[in-house]
Amino acid sequence: MTDDTLAPVAATATPPAPTIGFVSLGCPKALTDSELILTQLSAEGYRTAKSYQGADLVIVNTCGFIDDAVKESLDAIGEALAENGKVIVTGCLGAKAGEGGGNLVQQVHPKVLAVTGPHATQEVMDAVHSHVPKPHDPFVDLVPAAGIKLTPKHYAYLKISEGCNHRCTFCIIPSLRGDLVSRPVGDVLKEARALFEGGVKELLVVSQDTSAYGVDVKYRTGFWDGKPVKTRMLDLVAALGELARQHGAWVRLHYVYPYPHVDEVIPLMAQGLVLPYLDVPFQHAHPDVLRRMKRPASGERNLERIQAWRQACPELVIRSTFIAGFPGETEEEFAYLLDFLQEAQIDRAGCFAYSPVNGAAANELPGALPDAVREERRARFMAVAEAVSVQRLRRRIGATMQVLVDRAPALGRKGGVGRTYADAPEIDGTVRLLPPAKASTVLRVGEFAKARIVATEGHDLVGEPV
Ligand code: SF4
């Protein structure tokens, strides 16, 4: 069952490149993990050492299948620690719990530098990078760690999954992109850290259904910084919030459906770990329309849920989108939607007049409404939405708010434009920043400023830098 080897040397011509020792134990699946790690090491310019003594660090890929394999793996780790001292452990044994639920490897060998479970090439590479920095590559190093981004330097979108398990009748995304596939939590967190380190001050979490993150992998435990993290919305958001706090940055959540487990995220907002802002695409409020739409969480009592969220986190701002004039929508159902909008006090609401999408199941539903009715309902919806939004915005007047500066020509001497936690870029409002009263106050793009809100202008605020 086992095949322990010190892997052969990957030849390289760069003399100062660091060398890594590698011990590979376990079954063929573990062997392919070893191959992936060795390939990545080689691609990044590391050499592989023939002996413990010649290595800058040793990776032990372990097996935890039967007791004998556990013992063999623990012995190999002990030997590597004794001979070299710098050891990273990966593989099945790395995911095994010891007494009291702690990590078995760390309990037996507390001096190991990092421990990951199996299939964790990226986490292993992260651990290698933090203990033996990557050799310089003049070509690869031209690419920023965070990759090439099309957004301004100070905000970025972080995609956590692709596809969708729902089958909303007006939508064809699942047929285009397939079912939900969640990205490994370690990869997502690694990308987030690289973005923060690259100067991102606002991270916008996106997907088709952020609250479903991890459903496809049954909330599998991944690894991040040598620690287990579940592939689950709450755990991901908590870890992102922690990273953001370390970098003085914001995390904003988009496309969250009102499932009961979202309630657990609200306290993180109240604690300031993530922005108290939720983008919840409700699409409608009437239960019968939601059922015809086959919306996720359509059976939830959304109004009560929102009220409970607001009680737990009074600062919470909710953005949403709606569809007016869905097939079969009666005047009563539409009036119900308008009542919901007012009662739920949706801070930012957008509305589309229903329009059939080629290939969508809703096209077959009875009761299609004339274009004029759909348009008229959309206009009525927007009038109510704007009244709610403006009235909620006015409550900000007199408050001093943190603003992320998006534009500030001449260091803001003539003023600038920014956003508060209540405004996502591109879709919400902005804060028009007046020229600072004090000459010493400057505004810089991508930095936070404090502003006293003095007025509203439609969906926007006007603020005086302080
Ligand atoms: S609209 Fe419905 S089916 Fe389409 S992506 Fe969103 S949740 Fe999935």
Side-chain angles (χ1 to χ4, degrees), residues 164-168 170-174 208-209 257 295-296:
C164 180
N165 285 348
H166 304 294
R167 296 293 180 264
C168 300
F170 56 81
C171 176
I172 56 164
I173 284 179
Q208 305 302 334
D209 180 358
Y257 289 103
R295 289 295 289 162

Side-chain angles (χ1 to χ4, degrees), residues 271-289:
Q271 289 160 29
L273 264 189
V274 273
L275 292 181
Y277 174 104
L278 269 184
D279 176 3
V280 189
F282 286 112
Q283 308 300 9
H284 212 281
H286 195 285
D288 292 343
V289 182

Side-chain angles (χ1 to χ4, degrees), residues 14-79:
T14 315
T19 53
I20 309 293
F22 204 106
V23 181
S24 182
L25 303 168
C27 67
K29 275 177 272 164
L31 188 68
T32 53
D33 281 356
S34 295
E35 287 169 352
L36 284 172
I37 296 166
L38 285 164
T39 305
Q40 190 59 31
L41 284 167
S42 177
E44 292 187 9
Y46 291 94
R47 291 180 301 151
T48 315
K50 273 184 175 157
S51 67
Y52 289 127
Q53 287 79 12
D56 294 292
L57 178 150
V58 177
I59 299 170
V60 183
N61 188 5
T62 58
C63 175
F65 185 48
I66 53 169
D67 286 353
D68 278 354
V70 171
K71 184 176 180 313
E72 186 186 22
S73 291
L74 287 172
D75 288 349
I77 297 165
E79 188 184 322

